[in-house]
Amino acid sequence: MMDIDPALQGAMETFFEESRDLLQEMEQILLGVETHGLEAEQLNALFRAAHTIKGSAGLFGLDPLVRFTHRLENLLDRIRAGQQAFDAEQMVPLLLACADHLGAYLVMLQGADAFQPDFLAEDVRLLEALEAVQRRQAEGILPGLASDHPAPPVVQRAYKPAAPDQPRKPHRAGWHISLRFGVDTFRDGMDPLSFLQYLRQMGEILGLVTLTDQLPKLSALDPESCYLGFEIAFASAASKAEIVAVFDFVKDSCTLHILPSHDQLPDYLRMIESLPEADQRIGEILVAIGSLTPEELQQALGQQQEEEKHSGEHHPLGEILVAAQMVPEPLVQGALAKQQQQRGQRQMLRIHAEELDQLVDLVGELVIASASNRLRAQEEDRELRVEAAVQVARLVEEIRDRALHLRMIEVNEIFQRFPRVVRDTAKQLSKDIRLEIRGEQTELDKSMAEKIVDPLMHLVRNAMDHGIESAAIRQASGKDPQGRILLQARHDASGILIEVQDDGAGLQRDKILRKAIEKGLVQEDQKLSDTEVFSLIFAPGFSTAEKISDISGRGVGMDVVKQNIESIRGGIDIESQPGQGTTIRIRLPLTLSIIDGFVVRIGKGLFVIPSDAVEECVEYPQVEATGYLQLRGQPLPLLDLAAMFQVERSVSSRRNVIVVGQGSERIGVLVGAILGNQQTVIKPLGRLFESLPGISAATILGNGELAPILDIAHLLQHHTRSSRTAQPTSSS
């Protein structure tokens, strides 16, 4: 992270997060443009996104980002003004590439990384493309990107944030002045240089960048017109109102924005915090600290009233102030926080994910302590003590639910990445494929969401590469030439179900089986169901692809997909029909930290079965055939956990069968006593024990005893497969 004042650290983090949100919005708009065209409001949204990123980046002194975004903003502004044609076929790829590049800027700046030669080459290539689009407008030609290959590296000074131990500069720029003189400045008898000279009498100009992007070609240049603009870093003890007064003579024809420089923001934020507790409005707070002049406040309020009068929409004053570059967004946020503090209200709070994880961990320890407290109360057998323990446990359970819900996000945060992936991959494959998304409001744990992005990405790209046929083949088989990928999510049996579905050719069962026999994965006379055959594609190194491409085909992806899904206690299965397509289902638990667990005794030890996998409990009839139980006329495979874990079984105690299932698979597990349901905090096993078969994690019970948590997906997968070969009929 860059070396900045701690008081500004939070604002910087907010800038990176909000900039990524804006880039995501830009991408969604641009992807829609290719099929639905560009509407005026969408163009305004693109401009606002670029404008906001540039303005906020300037406040933090991120000059390279400001420079690049300024060129992009300039192009969008010309399109808005009707000075630039918009050819979607050529303009969308350019704007998408620029958005990607801005995203790369954010990553490097946030990580305080030096810009690499490849990145700088891409920077130059895109800047030249933006300039070329505008330069050739007069000829009616809109160039695309010059090349897919990066240009040779150029010598350019890389932006490198100051090292943590690097001393601060002796001078601090108090203001950032953004000045654009009007085109008639010379004709009005004004000299831009005189204003700069006057400004120097009030302080020191620490930095000045002359903007010449409005300068036309020499043949079109009017010597009496002014095309100049300046970005100025100005150190002065003068107030904002005093600096504004310098430009009184040109204030009606020039564009002037004066903002506190980024290293002054902590001082302003501290001034906001130190204001007396009074019922002040946001504009009054900003005027009180000197970051907004009374005239600017009146101008913004007038704009707010006019917009409400004409459109009926009420835009917050802070939004207007930021859009007009009257006040930097961090100060508006600071003023809003002060206003809410003054009014004793708080509607939304941004916090770091790590802090939320720490909170959930503490809640987990609280759950264990509460279970222990309840157990001790029951052992003491004192009624009032037990009632109090039950009350505490109920409150802890409510805290647990609320804490876990804080970490839930909508799956749309993952799905929204895929329109771009499908678009780019389809172009790469020369296929026509559309993406449909459903259930994007389904919620899942944020920590889990981060771990399924890569598996989903691989499944979608694999379906596009190997599943969906070319348009010619689809037409020949009577299908719609346009292929279809469906990505959907929904809640299912106390978990999350995510499906990746394509309408392609489907998996070739015989080809997969033949390949598996060649690789020695199955025996030639072995009988396998369709599901078991399709599951063979998850074997390491397994691939039936005839051609190896950059997208897939090396057989090194599907096994990793399965491993990643199972590492978060999920499961994956495949359904496929020849000529109709393939559906891959991913089942995930709701959370990775705290679950409801079914505590059972096996031998002398206690084990936990995740409650969401439990379907029912029945008493084990001693007369049943070994290995199977007839349950409502159907054979149910049985798994003796005592035998599997090689623990001593208590012969005298009654045995029970717990029916567990996932998807269409179910088995009955033989256990001893059933001790009931309780909240279970999941503890990782550590490297030494993480490969134990049938065990996914462990937990600490209320009595302090360690209890393994059963890996139901593993038990189902391995026991059902071995049971089918000897499965009895329903009449046996």
Side-chain angles (χ1 to χ4, degrees):
M1 179 54 65
M2 299 174 63
D3 181 24
I4 60 174
D5 192 296
L8 203 57
Q9 186 79 38
M12 178 74 95
E13 291 288 346
T14 301
F15 160 71
F16 285 122
E17 291 179 15
E18 292 183 347
S19 295
R20 290 192 178 94
D21 290 343
L22 290 169
L23 291 178
Q24 184 64 44
E25 181 186 0
M26 289 180 70
E27 183 177 288
Q28 290 179 344
I29 292 174
L30 291 170
L31 291 176
V33 167
E34 289 185 323
T35 52
H36 305 296
L38 180 64
E39 298 180 358
E41 181 52 36
Q42 291 176 321
L43 178 57
N44 289 334
L46 291 174
F47 176 80
R48 282 197 300 270
H51 181 75
T52 302
I53 292 174
K54 187 194 81 169
S56 301
L59 293 173
F60 295 110
L62 307 177
D63 296 337
L65 183 58
V66 172
R67 174 182 54 83
F68 184 87
T69 316
H70 175 74
R71 299 288 185 87
L72 175 62
E73 178 196 42
N74 195 42
L75 173 62
L76 294 170
D77 194 33
R78 287 174 59 85
I79 298 172
R80 286 201 316 165
Q83 300 169 349
Q84 181 81 40
F86 184 86
D87 183 333
E89 185 176 350
Q90 300 189 50
M91 197 76 83
V92 169
L94 172 61
L95 295 179
L96 283 173
C98 289
D100 290 343
H101 194 61
L102 287 175
Y105 258 118
L106 297 177
V107 171
M108 292 190 178
L109 291 171
Q110 191 172 18
D113 299 328
F115 297 152
Q116 299 301 313
D118 288 348
F119 176 85
L120 295 174
E122 179 70 0
D123 195 76
V124 171
R125 186 172 73 93
L126 290 173
L127 288 175
E128 289 178 349
L130 289 170
E131 183 179 349
V133 167
Q134 299 175 65
R135 187 173 61 246
R136 298 183 186 181
Q137 169 62 31
E139 302 171 16
I141 302 173
L142 293 175
L145 293 177
S147 170
D148 290 336
H149 302 289
V154 297
V155 179
Q156 180 172 330
R157 189 179 62 156
Y159 174 81
K160 183 74 170 70
D165 56 350
Q166 183 175 332
R168 286 184 172 275
K169 295 179 180 179
H171 297 288
R172 301 179 68 190
W175 301 97
H176 179 89
I177 303 174
S178 181
L179 176 63
R180 304 288 187 279
F181 285 99
V183 70
D184 294 326
T185 298
F186 293 140
R187 281 186 282 269
D188 292 338
M190 302 297 171
D191 181 4
L193 182 60
S194 65
F195 292 96
L196 300 181
Q197 291 173 337
Y198 186 72
L199 197 63
R200 293 179 64 183
Q201 296 178 18
M202 301 175 62
E204 182 181 1
I205 296 178
L206 299 179
L208 185 147
V209 177
T210 302
L211 303 176
T212 58
D213 51 282
Q214 298 295 328
L215 199 65
K217 291 181 178 178
L218 185 60
S219 59
L221 189 143
D222 179 0
E224 294 186 353
S225 295
C226 181
Y227 306 102
L228 291 176
F230 300 98
E231 298 288 343
I232 304 169
F234 186 54
S236 173
S239 67
K240 185 174 183 179
E242 290 171 329
I243 299 174
V244 170
V246 172
F247 304 96
D248 265 346
F249 291 108
V250 291
K251 66 180 182 181
D252 294 332
S253 59
C254 77
T255 302
L256 176 66
H257 300 293
I258 302 175
L259 296 171
S261 63
H262 70 282
D263 54 358
Q264 292 291 305
L265 293 182
D267 295 337
Y268 280 95
L269 291 172
R270 281 190 281 271
M271 289 169 63
I272 291 176
E273 292 176 359
S274 63
L275 286 175
E277 298 297 328
D279 188 13
Q280 290 179 299
R281 298 185 176 184
I282 180 174
E284 295 170 332
I285 293 174
L286 294 171
V287 170
I289 64 170
S291 66
L292 183 71
T293 66
E295 291 77 13
E296 288 176 326
L297 176 58
Q298 291 305 316
Q299 180 184 342
L301 290 172
Q303 180 181 341
Q304 186 184 45
Q305 292 174 356
E306 284 295 315
E307 289 179 353
E308 190 169 358
K309 181 179 177 181
H310 289 96
S311 65
E313 296 181 1
H314 178 81
H315 296 286
L317 180 63
E319 185 179 303
I320 295 173
L321 293 174
V322 173
Q325 297 187 44
M326 294 179 181
V327 181
E329 187 169 358
L331 293 189
V332 171
Q333 295 297 334
L336 283 172
K338 182 66 177 181
Q339 187 182 41
Q340 291 171 354
Q341 177 186 336
Q342 290 173 340
R343 296 179 179 179
Q345 296 178 354
R346 197 168 198 174
Q347 296 178 339
M348 184 171 290
L349 179 68
R350 281 181 181 268
I351 60 173
H352 292 290
E354 293 80 6
E355 294 178 1
L356 196 54
D357 291 340
Q358 293 171 4
L359 172 65
V360 173
D361 290 342
L362 287 174
V363 170
E365 298 302 322
L366 185 61
V367 167
I368 295 174
S370 173
S372 176
N373 178 52
R374 188 172 180 176
L375 181 64
R376 297 286 180 268
Q378 291 171 340
E379 290 174 350
E380 292 176 9
D381 196 22
R382 293 165 55 188
E383 183 176 353
L384 292 178
R385 175 88 166 81
V386 172
E387 288 182 2
V390 170
Q391 176 70 1
V392 170
R394 187 184 63 77
L395 293 173
V396 168
E397 187 174 347
E398 186 172 343
I399 291 172
R400 178 205 67 172
D401 292 342
R402 290 179 179 272
L404 292 178
H405 187 72
L406 287 174
R407 217 166 55 175
M408 302 294 277
I409 63 169
E410 291 186 353
V411 76
N412 185 47
E413 293 196 19
I414 303 171
F415 284 3
Q416 65 184 358
R417 308 179 188 192
F418 285 89
R420 177 71 182 279
V421 173
V422 171
R423 171 193 178 276
D424 292 349
T425 307
K427 287 184 178 296
Q428 188 177 352
L429 295 169
S430 299
K431 293 182 179 178
D432 185 9
I433 302 173
R434 74 176 186 277
L435 173 68
E436 294 181 11
I437 291 177
R438 298 176 188 168
E440 58 267 41
Q441 294 180 342
T442 306
E443 292 185 330
L444 78 166
D445 192 297
K446 179 176 176 57
S447 58
M448 196 184 314
E450 294 167 351
K451 295 178 180 177
I452 65 169
V453 171
D454 289 342
L456 279 179
M457 197 71 72
H458 185 90
L459 293 176
V460 169
R461 290 165 63 87
N462 204 54
M464 297 178 68
D465 192 9
H466 297 308
I468 295 181
E469 317 92 325
S470 66
I473 295 176
R474 292 176 65 87
Q475 273 186 313
S477 58
K479 285 185 173 180
D480 184 343
Q482 185 182 53
R484 170 178 170 269
I485 295 284
L486 173 62
L487 196 56
Q488 65 176 344
R490 66 175 185 271
H491 289 285
D492 177 66
S494 302
I496 308 291
L497 176 65
I498 298 177
E499 291 183 347
V500 179
Q501 185 182 98
D502 69 72
D503 66 346
L507 296 179
Q508 300 180 48
R509 186 186 192 282
D510 294 340
K511 189 173 183 179
I512 294 172
L513 189 57
R514 187 167 59 251
K515 190 76 175 181
I517 293 173
E518 290 175 4
K519 296 177 73 70
L521 297 175
V522 297
Q523 300 300 317
E524 196 163 355
D525 57 348
Q526 193 171 345
K527 295 181 179 178
L528 299 175
S529 66
D530 288 349
T531 301
E532 290 168 337
V533 172
F534 296 150
S535 297
L536 291 170
I537 68 173
F538 293 119
F542 190 92
S543 175
T544 59
E546 297 175 354
K547 295 181 180 178
I548 295 175
S549 68
D550 294 336
I551 297 173
S552 55
R554 295 183 184 274
V556 295
M558 295 300 281
D559 61 321
V560 177
V561 167
K562 186 178 183 185
Q563 289 173 13
N564 289 347
I565 297 298
E566 291 181 343
S567 70
I568 51 177
R569 297 191 297 110
I572 184 168
D573 59 69
I574 303 176
E575 179 182 334
S576 184
Q577 294 293 329
Q580 298 181 24
T582 301
T583 300
I584 298 182
R585 297 186 178 88
I586 298 174
R587 299 179 190 279
L588 300 170
L590 278 178
T591 178
L592 298 177
S593 53
I594 304 175
I595 61 171
D596 285 327
F598 219 62
V599 183
V600 299
R601 185 177 295 282
I602 302 173
K604 296 181 179 179
L606 297 180
F607 289 73
V608 174
I609 302 174
S611 295
D612 56 10
V614 176
E615 297 187 355
E616 61 180 311
C617 304
V618 297
E619 185 177 354
Y620 176 65
Q622 302 295 335
V623 296
E624 286 288 340
T626 302
Y628 281 87
L629 169 72
Q630 290 294 337
L631 184 63
R632 290 185 283 278
Q634 296 295 324
L636 177 72
L638 289 180
L639 174 60
D640 188 343
L641 293 178
M644 176 178 174
F645 296 126
Q646 299 179 3
V647 299
E648 184 179 353
R649 183 188 306 148
S650 177
V651 180
S652 59
S653 62
R654 191 177 67 177
R655 301 169 72 189
N656 297 279
V657 176
I658 297 181
V659 181
V660 296
Q662 198 172 64
S664 59
E665 304 285 356
R666 54 189 34 77
I667 60 172
V669 291
L670 274 174
V671 302
I674 298 175
L675 304 180
N677 207 34
Q678 72 171 52
Q679 297 176 64
T680 303
V681 181
I682 299 174
K683 301 287 186 182
L685 290 172
R687 291 186 177 180
L688 185 60
F689 302 105
E690 63 184 6
S691 60
L692 284 176
I695 303 295
S696 63
T699 188
I700 299 174
L701 300 175
N703 60 1
E705 187 174 344
L706 187 68
I709 299 175
L710 298 185
D711 185 348
I712 299 301
H714 175 89
L715 298 179
L716 283 167
Q717 180 182 355
H718 292 277
H719 190 64
T720 53
R721 180 177 299 177
S722 60
S723 299
R724 278 199 181 92
T725 56
Q727 181 172 331
T729 63
S730 58
S731 60
S732 64

